[in-house]
Amino acid sequence: MDVDLERAKVLIDEKTQADAPIAVYKGRCSKRNGRFGPLLNGMEFLSMLVKI
């Protein structure tokens, strides 16, 4: 598979945007998309948000 420089930049930008936090609370806690659902990521914890 051949990829030119412009296409590579687009792919890298898309991946960076996909990995960015969904929301940030007071700069310490962020909500991210995880493999099995949303995750809450803090300085000392990582928690999965479960929908009941």
Side-chain angles (χ1 to χ4, degrees):
M1 181 173 151
D2 293 331
V3 179
D4 62 348
L5 182 60
E6 294 302 318
R7 180 67 179 146
K9 287 180 182 179
V10 170
L11 292 174
I12 291 170
D13 289 340
E14 288 175 358
K15 178 65 175 163
T16 304
Q17 289 176 355
D19 290 342
I22 298 170
V24 177
Y25 178 72
K26 294 188 179 180
R28 291 193 267 173
C29 182
S30 64
K31 180 180 173 189
R32 298 180 175 266
N33 280 331
R35 182 175 178 183
F36 301 109
L39 295 172
L40 209 67
N41 185 9
M43 295 184 109
E44 299 176 0
F45 64 90
L46 180 65
S47 177
M48 185 172 170
L49 301 176
V50 180
K51 187 174 184 180
I52 297 177

